[in-house]
Amino acid sequence: MKNCPYCKAPGKFYFKISSRTYNRCSGCDLIYKESQDSYDKVVAHYRNDYFEQYSADQMGGKRDRLFDKILGLIEKRSGTGRLLDIGAGCGVFLVAAQKRGWEVKGIEPSIQSVEVAQGQYGLDIYNGTLQEYDENGKFDVITFINVLDHSVEPWKEIDKASLLLKSGGILYLRFPNGLFHSFLFKVSKKLNIEQTIAKFLVFHECCFTPRFIRRLLSDYGFGNIEVYNASLSGGSLISSFPLFSFITRSIEIMGKLTDLVSGGRVLWGPSLEVVARKR
Ligand SMILES: [Zn+2]
């Protein structure tokens, strides 16, 4: 069995979904694929195919409420300033930020997405990856909204983001809750309904647990690390399946109740969000 790609400690088999096996690290708690795709293959996918599959989900105002919530959370800690969004897509989040007074830039590998962001919204988006990006001025805030778990080596992205942030700058992450999704998958497998449930679950290159993300950020010089249950985004899955909408709303309400009862200490929602400050 392959050792953890981050801390090199041994991992244990965690679950298998179709042909993909995920292990869980005994050291840092990362949930990682036994055989990872190459960096180049993953980047090529986002450069070439992603727009066609997901652009409709990004446009059309479905996520406006979510983006305002995210910006509100950040502004409470930093005010406005220079913001860089990684995996900016068509730039809808950046448009929302601009309206609230931010000076915005984005990075996006998909050529078609960048064309929309530039042509339709007049945004300043770099067409490429974070690793290729070179910028002199530093940022007050860097955001990764449902992006980091697509990365083969997310620690390299965090390292680069840290370089681009001002000292005291804010890092915002949003990603699927690895424990939540793998738990639901395991339960549905026991009940023999995993075929139905699996399409609503999200497993990318890595699955993050709260313990892993805290370890990762503190290893790369971040402090004041806050981890929360995130509210749902209202993407196409939710609107096209009434039953799924019912289930996710119930889950969201359960997450909120858990927050209330536990004072936000129990991280049991489909998505997590993290705010941290560069030391
Ligand atoms: Zn590890």
Side-chain angles (χ1 to χ4, degrees), residues 4 6-9 25 27-30:
C4 170
Y6 182 56
C7 77
K8 314 297 175 207
C25 176
C28 69
D29 209 32
L30 176 69

Side-chain angles (χ1 to χ4, degrees), residues 7-279:
C7 77
K8 314 297 175 207
K12 256 193 187 160
F13 171 82
Y14 198 44
F15 64 93
K16 186 176 177 185
I17 180 163
S18 52
S19 61
R20 292 170 293 157
T21 297
Y22 286 85
N23 303 326
R24 186 169 177 182
C25 176
S26 60
C28 69
D29 209 32
L30 176 69
I31 300 168
Y32 58 96
K33 267 160 99 175
E34 171 72 22
S35 61
Q36 281 193 301
D37 286 335
S38 74
Y39 176 81
D40 292 340
K41 189 181 162 193
V42 172
V43 170
H45 169 67
Y46 293 107
R47 264 191 225 283
N48 306 319
D49 314 325
Y50 202 70
F51 179 81
E52 206 154 301
Q53 290 174 25
Y54 296 104
S55 58
D57 214 33
Q58 296 173 21
M59 318 278 282
K62 286 179 208 145
R63 299 198 172 171
D64 290 357
R65 188 178 68 101
L66 172 73
F67 291 157
D68 272 328
K69 270 193 179 171
I70 293 174
L71 290 161
L73 190 78
I74 294 169
E75 286 161 15
K76 264 191 212 155
R77 289 155 183 81
S78 74
T80 55
R82 295 190 79 220
L83 182 148
L84 175 68
D85 185 35
I86 316 298
C90 301
V92 183
F93 173 68
L94 291 179
V95 172
Q98 218 170 24
K99 277 187 197 151
R100 297 170 69 114
W102 290 88
E103 187 192 318
V104 299
K105 277 197 176 188
I107 298 178
E108 170 55 48
S110 153
I111 298 150
Q112 290 143 300
S113 297
V114 171
E115 279 170 5
V116 173
Q118 288 169 344
Q120 205 161 317
Y121 303 123
L123 291 166
D124 182 358
I125 308 260
Y126 171 74
N127 185 204
T129 66
L130 176 57
Q131 298 303 325
E132 294 160 351
Y133 184 67
D134 195 14
E135 159 85 34
N136 287 323
K138 295 214 170 188
F139 293 90
D140 300 291
V141 171
I142 296 184
T143 52
F144 289 82
I145 301 172
N146 294 327
V147 168
L148 199 61
D149 58 311
H150 295 265
S151 172
V152 177
E153 294 175 302
W155 35 96
K156 290 193 177 162
E157 316 297 340
I158 294 298
D159 190 25
K160 183 74 185 271
S162 172
L163 277 177
L164 293 170
L165 268 177
K166 288 177 189 167
S167 156
I170 297 280
L171 179 72
Y172 173 89
L173 312 173
R174 182 189 164 92
F175 51 85
N177 184 350
L179 290 180
F180 178 91
H181 289 265
S182 41
F183 173 81
L184 270 196
F185 179 69
K186 285 175 170 207
V187 168
S188 66
K189 211 165 178 178
K190 284 221 166 79
L191 299 171
N192 248 327
I193 53 165
E194 79 265 27
Q195 304 285 1
T196 319
I197 297 292
K199 53 178 171 282
F200 303 126
L201 300 177
V202 186
F203 306 107
H204 296 128
E205 290 305 310
C206 300
C207 307
F208 302 138
T209 68
R211 186 153 77 81
F212 171 75
I213 215 79
R214 285 182 181 279
R215 153 93 188 254
L216 174 68
L217 295 184
S218 88
D219 285 354
Y220 281 91
F222 288 89
N224 300 94
I225 303 164
E226 305 164 68
V227 185
Y228 300 104
N229 291 311
S231 54
L232 295 171
S233 64
S236 63
L237 272 180
I238 292 176
S239 46
S240 32
F241 296 95
L243 175 65
F244 185 58
S245 169
F246 171 74
I247 294 170
T248 48
R249 290 292 166 222
S250 310
I251 287 169
E252 184 171 35
I253 290 164
M254 268 160 51
K256 290 222 167 98
L257 282 175
T258 314
D259 272 355
L260 212 67
V261 174
S262 71
R265 287 188 306 272
V266 177
L267 296 165
W268 187 245
S271 287
L272 297 177
E273 59 186 350
V274 177
V275 195
R277 196 177 284 279
K278 184 179 165 179
R279 287 197 197 99

